[in-house]
Amino acid sequence: MAVSTVMGRIIRRLDVPPAEPDLSAGYLDLLGPAAPAPPPTVAQRAMRSSLLPKIYERVWRPVGFGIAKGGPFGPSTEQEYALARNWLGLGRPGDPHRPDRVVLDVACGPGNVTRALAAGVAGRGLVVGIDAAPGMLARAVADTTDPQVGYVRGDATDLPFQDASFDAVCCYGALYLFDDPWRALDSMTRVLRPGGRIVILTSRRPDLAPVGTAVSIAGRLTGVEVFGHQEIVDALAARGYVELRRRRYPLMQYVGGRLD
């Protein structure tokens, strides 16, 4: 299959570019046939199901995330996207002065956040979505027409890209699903250039002890890591991020910073 301009730009950012890129599914597949792996958690199985990509954007995300953000008192999905663009230093959709940033969307799922980030770049801008689930990526490819967007099937905890190859990194609604979230955060930091920005939307353990304990137990049973309200901030600071910012909601939090 011929390599498109966007795929060519993505391949040039890989640590080890494949001799014969597999683009047969519309995305760059770096994982190939499924290899034996530890049994997935309940939450991970849900993300890999054939049904979820079909209902993710219209049902799963607005309902599930809406409850976690406090229902009508939390930000809407469009406000989430605007926050990500703002914290990553991207432009507003339609603004002729949007920057030509190179952005990575980690665990991109069906590409809804990827496309929202792409609305904030222009010129030589590029947005790359990476995920391990073929079903999610198939949906992302089907729903994406922006020539500045491309998708990769790869390991989000061991990102296949060169050091300092992105201007911004986004990880919305996924860090709590990783077997090793701290390794994933290390990998995101490695591929981010100095001065680049990161934004994370992840779980939050409520401050009220009985509720927080119940949420943590539910998380362990389903395979969802529930982070304390200071954990992600401290983890970013320890990795050299400055200008840290955070917004907290009942069961979720947004955290961002700039790599010094």
Side-chain angles (χ1 to χ4, degrees), residues 8-230:
R9 294 181 66 193
I10 292 172
I11 290 169
R12 287 194 292 274
R13 285 176 165 76
L14 294 176
D15 238 348
V16 183
E20 296 184 7
D22 182 358
L23 305 171
S24 57
Y27 51 81
L28 175 61
D29 192 345
L30 298 178
L31 297 182
T41 64
V42 172
Q44 289 170 342
R45 281 200 299 271
M47 288 296 158
R48 298 173 191 177
S49 73
S50 59
L51 173 63
L52 191 58
K54 300 174 184 177
I55 65 170
Y56 185 89
E57 197 164 352
R58 295 193 177 190
V59 180
W60 179 278
R61 199 175 195 285
V63 174
F65 280 45
I67 293 170
K69 292 179 295 183
F73 302 103
S76 67
T77 300
E78 288 304 320
Q79 288 170 328
E80 284 183 35
Y81 297 161
L83 181 146
R85 288 190 294 262
N86 179 262
W87 285 18
L88 294 177
L90 308 182
R92 295 181 179 179
D95 186 340
H97 304 294
R98 286 169 291 164
D100 57 354
R101 301 276 164 80
V102 179
V103 185
L104 178 63
D105 183 18
V106 177
C108 65
N112 52 307
V113 175
T114 318
R115 293 188 294 274
L117 296 173
V121 303
R124 289 284 294 167
L126 171 68
V127 182
V128 181
I130 184 168
D131 204 288
M136 286 290 192
L137 289 170
R139 184 73 189 197
V141 169
D143 289 347
T144 300
T145 58
D146 193 323
Q148 293 178 304
V149 175
Y151 296 100
V152 175
R153 182 170 176 243
D155 185 351
T157 62
D158 187 15
L159 293 167
F161 305 105
Q162 299 170 17
D163 294 357
S165 51
F166 290 90
D167 300 310
V169 173
C170 178
C171 183
Y172 257 27
L175 192 66
Y176 48 77
L177 296 173
F178 297 149
D179 293 330
D180 189 343
W182 309 121
R183 183 184 174 205
L185 193 54
D186 287 337
S187 193
M188 292 180 222
T189 301
R190 179 185 62 78
V191 303
L192 188 60
R193 68 167 178 79
R197 296 184 177 275
I198 192 170
V199 64
I200 296 167
L201 167 59
T202 192
S203 58
R204 173 183 174 268
R205 185 168 58 249
D207 297 326
L208 189 62
V211 179
T213 300
V215 169
S216 294
I217 292 172
R220 284 195 293 272
L221 292 174
T222 57
V224 173
E225 183 80 23
V226 182
F227 299 104
H229 75 274
Q230 193 64 30

